[in-house]
Amino acid sequence: MRDTKESRLLLVLLIAVAFALITVDIRGGENSPVDGARRGAATVFGPIENGVSGAVDPVGDAVSAVRDSGGRHDRLAALEKENAALKAKLGSDDRNRSRLSQLDKMLKLAGQGQYGIKGAQVIAIGAAQGFSWTITIDAGADDGIRRDMTVLNGDGLVGRVTTVGPGTSTVLLANDPDFTVGTRMEGTDELGFASGQGDRPMRVQLLNGKAEVKKGDRLITFGSEADKPFVPGVPVGVVSRVDPSGGDLTRTVYVTPYVGFTKLDVIGVVVQAPKKDPRDTVLPAKPKPAPTPTVTVTVTPTGGANDTSGRSGDGAGLPDTRGTGARDSQGTGEPDPQSTDDQQP
């Protein structure tokens, strides 16, 4: 329809009529004069409305989904965030449990050796100060740390402090090629010097070239003058290989360290040396040998007094000599004169 003066007048008249009908319908209530017309219109246009509604329902659902998608996305994001927080908490709990276990083990070792220690955590690893095997710990001069202090953990000797800052320190690990520590053999007291070899076992030169040493023997630190850089009695490692003695003045053995240098976390710096050398008391308990299984062999006899299958247990297996005149019944080796066969004419 074109926008003309007549069309505008018609639209105004229709609106006026609609308002009039609405007013009459509202005032009439249930007895409204247009009620019949409304029912007729419902009868005619009801099916059409249902069809149109069915057709546009998917569109309406889509519109509602779009309208509600923001809320669902927010809820999903919140759930994902909560899930991530729970996972982080579980991981943190596992790590805390691991640290508590390491700390407990270290405190037991320090108690056995009567070492006064300052606990710290490893915060960095790698080359520093020109050293190839070092760690950085979160304790320094402000915590009482000084250069050339022994560093240990719950397993044994970790290294020694080389550089100290206000809040951090650098530790040279015992497996560094520049690291050397005096050692003492458990039981025999044979002395030597252990040197680091990176990821290989430590190399120990025993001062006695004829020292009796075997695989499985254990070493501890011998200690230094004034307990710097090493206090005595700290477990070093276990002998894993012994070079043949060639008559040299020293003897070489190889020692697997107790400490895993690639998985350090909680460590302790010995800030107070023991008043008395703990000697071998700090070493871990030796593993008990596995019990040797005992094999018991039971022999079951296959014959006895009732066995008459040719054995001489009751004489039943002897040859029968009755009625055989050809044999000597007197044991003389001659034919029996009483034999009926010998009396034939």
Side-chain angles (χ1 to χ4, degrees):
M1 181 185 297
R2 297 178 61 184
D3 186 11
T4 61
K5 186 175 181 179
E6 291 79 6
S7 62
R8 291 180 182 180
L9 179 60
L10 179 59
L11 178 60
V12 171
L13 289 175
L14 290 175
I15 293 174
V17 171
F19 273 108
L21 291 175
I22 292 172
T23 301
V24 172
D25 186 32
I26 293 175
R27 289 184 178 181
E30 293 181 357
N31 299 319
S32 171
V34 297
D35 186 57
R38 182 169 56 248
R39 286 197 298 269
T43 302
V44 175
F45 295 104
I48 299 175
E49 291 177 349
N50 289 335
V52 173
S53 175
V56 301
D57 274 347
V59 178
D61 292 343
V63 172
S64 298
V66 172
R67 184 177 60 251
D68 297 338
S69 63
R72 284 199 296 268
H73 182 272
D74 292 342
R75 290 193 296 272
L76 180 60
L79 290 174
E80 289 178 347
K81 185 177 180 180
E82 183 179 356
N83 190 27
L86 289 174
K87 289 182 178 179
K89 185 176 184 299
L90 290 175
S92 178
D93 289 344
D94 291 341
R95 187 176 182 184
N96 288 335
R97 282 192 292 268
S98 175
R99 287 180 172 177
L100 287 175
S101 176
Q102 295 177 50
L103 180 60
D104 182 64
K105 192 175 181 181
M106 183 176 66
L107 290 176
K108 288 181 179 179
L109 186 148
Q112 291 173 342
Q114 295 300 302
Y115 306 121
I117 63 172
K118 175 65 179 180
Q121 290 186 1
V122 177
I123 58 175
I125 60 173
Q129 308 287 337
F131 303 127
S132 56
W133 289 84
T134 60
I135 57 173
T136 302
I137 59 175
D138 62 350
D142 295 342
D143 304 291
I145 309 300
R146 300 292 182 267
R147 180 182 169 87
D148 286 336
M149 284 185 168
T150 306
V151 181
L152 51 76
N153 68 0
D155 297 318
L157 181 66
V158 172
R160 63 181 176 88
V161 178
T162 56
T163 306
V164 181
T168 61
S169 300
T170 301
V171 177
L172 179 67
L173 300 180
N175 64 336
D176 187 273
D178 290 335
F179 186 95
T180 302
V181 58
T183 61
R184 183 173 61 79
M185 192 78 66
E186 176 192 15
T188 64
D189 291 339
E190 293 288 351
L191 302 181
F193 292 95
S195 300
Q197 296 195 114
D199 55 359
R200 295 178 295 167
M202 300 179 72
R203 186 173 183 267
V204 180
Q205 291 290 120
L206 297 178
L207 301 182
N208 182 4
K210 298 180 180 179
E212 294 293 331
V213 59
K214 64 183 182 301
K215 184 178 179 179
D217 287 345
R218 305 187 294 179
L219 286 81
I220 59 176
T221 56
F222 177 68
S224 307
E225 184 177 357
D227 299 315
K228 288 187 177 183
F230 303 108
V231 295
V234 181
V236 175
V238 181
V239 174
S240 57
R241 181 164 67 91
V242 180
D243 279 356
S245 177
D248 298 333
L249 295 178
T250 62
R251 189 167 190 186
T252 303
V253 300
Y254 296 89
V255 173
T256 300
Y258 282 116
V259 172
F261 297 104
T262 59
K263 51 183 180 180
L264 294 170
D265 188 6
V266 178
I267 60 91
V269 181
V270 180
V271 295
Q272 183 178 356
K275 296 180 179 179
K276 183 180 178 181
D277 186 348
R279 298 186 68 80
D280 302 337
T281 60
V282 186
L283 283 168
K286 288 185 176 181
K288 295 181 180 180
T292 303
T294 302
V295 179
T296 303
V297 179
T298 303
V299 179
T300 303
T302 56
N306 296 327
D307 186 2
T308 59
S309 58
R311 293 180 177 83
S312 58
D314 59 351
L318 295 176
D320 187 3
T321 59
R322 291 174 294 179
T324 57
R327 297 186 180 183
D328 180 11
S329 62
Q330 303 298 325
T332 60
E334 299 294 334
D336 190 349
Q338 298 180 358
S339 174
T340 57
D341 294 340
D342 296 338
Q343 296 177 1
Q344 296 294 332

